Amino acid sequence: MDTDKSAISNQPPPPVGLGEAFRYWLKLGFISFGGPAGQIAIMHQDLVERKRWISEKRFLHALNYCMLLPGPEAQQLATYIGWMMHRTWGGVISGGLFVLPSLFILIALTWVYLAVGDVPLISGLFYGIKPAVTAIVLFAAYRIGSRALKNAVLWTVSLAAFVAIFAFKAPFPYIVLGAGIIGYIGGRIAPGKFITGGHGAAAKHYGAAIIDDATPTPAHALFRWAHFALVLAIFLAIWIAALGALVVLFGWESTLSQMGWFFTKAALLTFGGAYAVLPYVYQGGVEHYQWLTATQMIDGLALGETTPGPLIMVVAFVGFVGAWTKAALGPEALALAGCLGAVVATFFTFLPSFLFILLGGPLVESTHGNPQFTAPLIGITAAVVGVILNLAVFFAWHVFWPEGFSGRFEWFSVLVAVAAMVALWRFKSGMIPVILGCGAAGLIYRLTAG
């Protein structure tokens, strides 16, 4: 966008009503492809450059805050901006509409996957998409690592995390806890080793905004202990009521109740974004609860990459497949159980994200940049790189040797993965074109070779 001074307006746009904001957030929910980077770029272009609802400095400040939190930062950023503009309901609407379109789309696609997934068209597409997903996860490890691992100490933390989860099968929560402790201690002993670059680059000016650099913090965004206690009580009540309802209706050991508890824990461990929590979801969903198979987990990630919304929406796929596989509502209601499982997984995954913004926004903003606060999170982010690399190794193993190392080797899948990696790394291609291209290659190969 042209930012020449002659094109910059010194007058902010007129106030935006909740109805207009609702329409924008709904549209964003359907076009938010490209992962966190793409989603943040869309919001920046729309809200900072074009609409001028918020200045770039305030936008980046909000983003820095969301990057410190567990959970999907793009969805939390949307929640934050909606909350700043229209109080609590604004945050609920903006954050909710960021997720709901993706939920409905994934429910439909997962039903198709389970009902007719073995037809040649579907299986051929997934044959090509799976190695593309392997390349995408590996590229994610590179991308996050290039930003997070700025010194030998952080590289060591990352390597230790990889060895812990790969060689010793250490549970993801323990790795997060250990990395946080290392970061906390390291931040006190050697604070210079636990500082990384962030999103705080010099802000550009696109004209006066509704929430401008000098705009006073709205009254509802100021920290007050009474409001803090009220918000916390409300969210705890919602969470207890929702999980309690599942326990009363189906029992604590039921699939749906265990999903509510499991995805609550997952939501509190998503430091580093969706790729960081995927190993934990895999450990729980595939190995512990056996809601789905390793192959289905890869397929679910492929679906998540090709739909709008946060990538962590793969939990909706896991919830649907798990409730279907376990016949949570009986063998005659598999589709209904799947829909309910997807809703349960999504609700308990995203509820904490709203809590972090509505509860912690005013408090955490005041501590942003304090090394004693950020150092543990930097340690966790370093560990996350090693965990993501382990996920890439896991995917490669199951895609290139689907029958184990003693079985056949899928040379075509390796070629597709290499081509996807080159497209992502060398040519900076978007994830959607890469996935669609690899899917088409897999379909053509299956149809011609089979």
Side-chain angles (χ1 to χ4, degrees):
M1 177 179 175
D2 183 13
T3 58
D4 186 83
K5 289 183 179 180
S6 62
I8 293 176
S9 172
N10 291 322
Q11 294 297 321
V16 175
L18 189 58
E20 181 182 350
F22 179 94
R23 290 188 292 273
Y24 171 74
W25 297 121
L26 179 62
K27 183 188 80 168
L28 181 65
F30 283 100
I31 65 171
S32 56
F33 291 93
Q39 293 155 358
I40 291 168
I42 290 172
M43 283 189 282
H44 184 276
Q45 185 178 53
D46 285 346
L47 303 182
V48 176
E49 300 179 33
R50 292 179 56 247
K51 297 180 180 293
R52 290 186 287 130
W53 287 3
I54 185 171
S55 71
E56 176 159 285
K57 184 177 180 180
R58 298 290 283 266
F59 181 92
L60 293 175
H61 184 70
L63 178 58
N64 280 328
Y65 166 33
C66 295
M67 289 292 292
L68 295 175
L69 298 171
E73 60 265 29
Q75 186 264 351
Q76 289 172 335
L77 179 62
T79 306
Y80 188 103
I81 295 174
W83 165 69
M84 286 286 288
M85 295 186 66
H86 295 108
R87 304 175 65 89
T88 300
W89 275 114
V92 171
I93 289 171
S94 59
L97 291 179
F98 201 90
V99 171
L100 286 178
S102 178
L103 173 61
F104 293 132
I105 293 170
L106 273 173
I107 285 176
L109 291 177
T110 308
W111 178 84
V112 171
Y113 169 82
L114 290 174
V116 296
D118 58 346
V119 300
L121 175 63
I122 302 297
S123 61
L125 287 172
F126 274 98
Y127 183 70
I129 289 174
K130 289 176 185 178
V133 170
T134 303
I136 287 171
V137 175
L138 182 61
F139 185 68
Y142 159 76
R143 189 175 64 237
I144 298 173
S146 64
R147 295 198 306 264
L149 307 181
K150 298 298 186 181
N151 54 64
V153 173
L154 296 178
W155 272 98
T156 301
V157 173
S158 179
L159 178 62
F162 174 80
V163 172
I165 196 169
F166 178 81
F168 299 103
K169 308 299 181 185
F172 183 64
Y174 295 163
I175 294 175
V176 169
L177 178 62
I181 293 173
I182 291 172
Y184 176 78
I185 297 174
R188 290 176 173 269
I189 298 175
K193 299 295 184 180
F194 288 84
I195 298 175
T196 62
H199 295 270
K204 297 179 181 178
H205 192 62
Y206 298 93
I210 297 174
I211 302 176
D212 214 348
D213 294 352
T215 302
T217 300
H220 67 271
L222 296 173
F223 179 76
R224 300 184 304 276
W225 278 111
H227 182 262
F228 181 94
L230 177 62
V231 172
L232 181 60
I234 291 173
F235 271 88
L236 285 176
I238 293 172
W239 178 77
I240 292 172
L243 187 60
L246 293 176
V247 173
V248 169
L249 291 172
F250 306 107
W252 172 249
E253 297 296 333
S254 68
T255 297
L256 295 173
S257 296
Q258 290 299 303
M259 281 184 178
W261 177 239
F262 172 75
F263 286 110
T264 296
K265 294 185 290 183
L268 300 175
L269 295 167
T270 52
F271 289 98
Y275 289 109
V277 80
L278 285 175
Y280 181 62
V281 174
Y282 166 78
Q283 283 184 334
V286 177
E287 296 181 349
H288 181 69
Y289 292 105
Q290 298 181 344
W291 291 330
L292 71 172
T293 66
T295 300
Q296 287 174 329
M297 184 71 186
I298 300 174
D299 293 344
L301 184 56
L303 283 179
E305 293 278 13
T306 55
T307 54
L311 178 58
I312 194 58
M313 282 302 298
V314 70
V315 301
F317 176 88
V318 174
F320 192 108
V321 175
W324 174 299
T325 300
K326 298 297 185 180
L329 299 181
E332 66 285 345
L334 297 181
L336 180 59
C339 293
L340 186 55
V343 171
V344 167
T346 303
F347 176 85
F348 285 98
T349 297
F350 283 91
L351 181 64
S353 290
F354 290 96
L355 173 65
F356 295 143
I357 298 300
L358 300 179
L359 179 72
L363 179 63
V364 179
E365 273 196 337
S366 66
T367 60
H368 182 71
N370 182 340
Q372 292 184 3
F373 178 75
T374 59
L377 299 177
I378 291 171
I380 291 172
T381 302
V384 157
V385 177
V387 171
I388 296 173
L389 182 60
N390 170 75
L391 186 68
V393 172
F394 161 77
F395 280 179
W397 174 27
H398 285 273
V399 171
F400 302 155
W401 288 275
E403 299 172 355
F405 287 122
S406 60
R408 72 181 189 279
F409 176 70
E410 292 284 354
W411 63 267
F412 179 79
S413 295
V414 174
L415 293 178
V416 171
V418 170
M421 196 66 191
V422 170
L424 291 166
W425 196 351
R426 176 67 178 82
F427 297 103
K428 313 299 182 185
S429 300
M431 290 186 184
I432 300 301
V434 168
I435 288 174
L436 293 178
C438 293
L443 177 61
I444 293 172
Y445 178 78
R446 274 292 180 88
L447 293 178
T448 55

